[in-house]
Amino acid sequence: MAFLTLQGISKRYGDFTAIEHIDLDVERGELLALLGPSGCGKTTTLQMVAGFVSPTTGRILLDGRDITNERPEKRGIGVVFQSYALFPHMTVAGNVGFGLEMRKVRRKEREERVAEALSLVRLKGLGHRYPKELSGGQRQRVAIARAIAMEPELLLLDEPMSNLDAKLREEMHIELRAIQKRLGITTILVTHDQVEAMTMSDRIAVMHRGVIAQLSTPYDAYERPATPFASTFLGRTNAFSGEVLRRNPRCAEVDVAGTTLHVPHEGRHVDGAVHVYIRPEKVHLANGDARLRGRIATRVFVGNQWLLEVDTELGKLRVAQPNHGAPPPEEGHEVGLAWTDDDLRVLTQDSSEGAHGHA
Ligand SMILES: Nc1ncnc2c1ncn2[C@@H]1O[C@H](COP(=O)(O)OP(=O)(O)OP(=O)(O)O)[C@@H](O)[C@H]1O
Ligand SMILES: [Mg+2]
């Protein structure tokens, strides 16, 4: 049985539906990311699990126990809020150890656990400082240390690294994930940062307008997006509108601007108006075996790769070329483009995604 279960959870504010019937299982020890754009309902979902917002419909089970109406402090859940609040009159060590003190953990053990938690978030030696003497990113890490020190069975993190600079955030992703794995803390991570979700989680729930658009491993979320929203939200992609001409056993023949593409449908029903997708890194420059020709409209160097926009008869095509070998031709030059059919994705156009709106 799953460690945490959300059954038919909805949340309405007046006639606005913030969350529409979410079913979700989180396994013991798993790190699950709730990923989605601002306002899609991530914090609302997390707050219902924490107990600070009560669901309009549905049940929440933690380790088999119905906690839907249980008070937050009874749930044994560690939370790092989006707007994390530290006690300003307490030192860093005081903040991190506060929960342990409330729980009457003895001083010596408390000090050890505080020191350990601070070293995990790389704040060793800053225990004597006050929150106002820290940077925003350091404060955020104190909030994380405070939650970890409690060794909760379930940890809820709401944008825990939003104030860290890019490099530190990248390091923290890897470290926090290692800590979470080592301690085996079941964790839900709320984020709108897809790199954070991809690098840290076992599974990603892509949220859109109050529903879960897709629940899968990071690899599948990226490689096999299940909805048009998930396709364009996760990473960059090229999207083209097309029309299915024929559905063969393995692939669909799709007309895109007068060109016929053969797109694997992976057993999905596809018919009529569709979108065809291909990732920029799956398109490459080609000479002899070009599928398509085009003119380079923009060429940008970003260090590890070149980003090109190529005008073609399908429309503008983004191409990402790894930075090895010679630089690609300059802007204005004509180039041939190629790809493998297996890298194309097709989804039926659907304008009725998501639940947001009036109930
Ligand atoms: N107390 C409330 N009353 C009315 N509407 C609310 C309330 N709390 C949240 N909402 C609405 O519910 C929707 C989801 O909000 P939520 O805070 O869960 O979004 P989020 O995904 O966490 O976004 P962000 O990434 O910006 O933090 C939003 O449209 C928000 O305006
Ligand atoms: Mg939020």
Side-chain angles (χ1 to χ4, degrees), residues 42-43 82 158-159 190:
K42 304 180 295 294
T43 295
Q82 192 164 11
D158 197 346
E159 310 271 2
V190 159

Side-chain angles (χ1 to χ4, degrees), residues 193-345:
D193 175 347
Q194 29 172 307
V195 174
E196 189 165 298
M198 303 274 286
T199 45
M200 289 188 68
S201 48
D202 295 296
R203 287 188 302 160
I204 298 179
V206 179
M207 288 188 70
H208 182 219
R209 296 186 179 171
V211 301
I212 293 177
Q214 176 156 11
L215 179 61
S216 59
T217 61
Y219 186 81
D220 279 350
Y222 188 85
E223 286 292 319
R224 298 196 168 70
T227 68
F229 171 77
S231 301
T232 48
F233 183 71
L234 220 68
R236 284 174 177 271
T237 195
N238 292 292
F240 302 106
S241 300
E243 190 78 29
V244 174
L245 303 172
R246 203 140 59 109
R247 192 180 191 277
N248 301 325
R250 265 201 77 245
C251 74
E253 289 177 29
V254 183
D255 173 71
V256 176
T259 301
T260 302
L261 301 176
H262 294 81
V263 192
H265 51 60
E266 299 171 313
R268 273 190 311 273
H269 174 79
V270 283
D271 196 17
V274 292
H275 290 300
V276 174
Y277 303 92
I278 186 157
R279 299 280 189 192
E281 72 273 18
K282 305 270 166 85
V283 184
H284 39 266
L285 302 184
N287 296 319
D289 55 349
R291 300 278 198 103
L292 191 66
R293 298 201 67 78
R295 189 177 297 278
I296 296 181
T298 57
R299 186 186 81 155
V300 178
F301 180 56
V302 295
N304 61 343
Q305 55 185 354
W306 294 87
L307 301 178
L308 310 175
E309 284 186 336
V310 185
D311 287 324
T312 74
E313 58 192 31
L314 296 183
K316 212 177 252 324
L317 201 64
R318 288 175 181 206
V319 180
Q321 187 190 290
N323 175 26
H324 57 230
E330 286 175 27
E331 290 172 2
H333 280 73
E334 226 189 76
V335 287
L337 300 171
W339 57 84
T340 307
D341 284 342
D342 276 348
D343 289 330
L344 297 170
R345 299 281 172 259

Side-chain angles (χ1 to χ4, degrees), residues 13 16 18 37-44 82 159 192 356:
Y13 292 107
F16 176 76
S38 184
C40 71
K42 304 180 295 294
T43 295
T44 304
Q82 192 164 11
E159 310 271 2
H192 58 250
H356 274 188

